[in-house]
Amino acid sequence: MTTARVPVLRIYCSDAWPGLIEACDVAMRAVLAAKVQRVQKQGCVGVQSYGVHWPCLLPQHGPGKKHDRPIVLADWQRPILESHPGDFLRGLFHSDGCRVANRVTVRGRAYVYPRYMFVNESADIMGLCQWSLDLLGVAWRMNRRNSLSVARREAVATLDRHVGPKS
């Protein structure tokens, strides 16, 4: 995120999701950026903005891997997340999650149903995801130490309203 002179926020978005590229640009402009650049790379676009205040808005950023350092909300961030858990979850699921058609066979009969999965090595980020799902009343369960599943029909419908497809 930082360079020697001015901090830069860079978010790389796959070319396959032009709606996310545009949403990223709009979000950067809405919170801080006067100018946003899009840099085409092979298979993706880097959406970036330089600004001395990016570290103030993203105090969780730091050296090293996310799962090796604490990821804790600043006091001023907590009420924002409490007011907008669906938007936060949208970002989490669009970056480290997916919506899949789960296929199971029970007593010889095949069933297919939608399910959301979120995978992250950071226990802190997983905890923030769980907390946000709880705020929305979405039932979830851990199917591995680093993987969360949302499979109940009403829970998936709630996430469909908040997360939506990658567009």
Side-chain angles (χ1 to χ4, degrees), residues 42-159:
Q42 185 174 351
C44 68
V45 173
V47 183
Q48 64 185 34
S49 173
Y50 291 83
V52 295
H53 295 294
W54 282 122
C56 302
L57 289 176
L58 302 166
Q60 294 78 14
H61 177 72
K65 298 176 181 176
K66 294 179 307 212
H67 64 277
D68 289 338
R69 59 183 159 82
I71 303 293
V72 180
L73 294 178
D75 291 341
W76 62 269
Q77 290 174 316
R78 188 166 290 279
I80 294 170
L81 197 147
E82 287 172 338
S83 297
H84 304 282
D87 293 324
F88 182 71
L89 289 166
R90 180 176 189 260
L92 289 178
F93 278 94
H94 281 192
S95 63
D96 293 326
C98 63
R99 185 182 190 274
V100 298
N102 198 51
R103 293 165 178 18
V104 295
T105 303
V106 178
R107 292 188 284 270
R109 184 173 163 113
Y111 296 92
V112 179
Y113 60 93
R115 168 174 145 168
Y116 280 89
M117 300 292 296
F118 178 74
V119 178
N120 201 291
E121 291 297 325
S122 168
D124 292 340
I125 293 173
M126 187 60 75
L128 290 170
C129 181
Q130 293 165 348
W131 180 52
S132 300
L133 290 166
D134 290 344
L135 288 172
L136 286 179
V138 171
W140 56 270
R141 71 176 188 85
M142 298 298 294
N143 56 330
R144 290 192 319 266
R145 74 165 175 78
N146 66 341
S147 179
L148 177 146
S149 169
V150 174
R152 292 191 179 167
R153 181 176 291 133
E154 62 279 357
V156 169
T158 298
L159 280 185

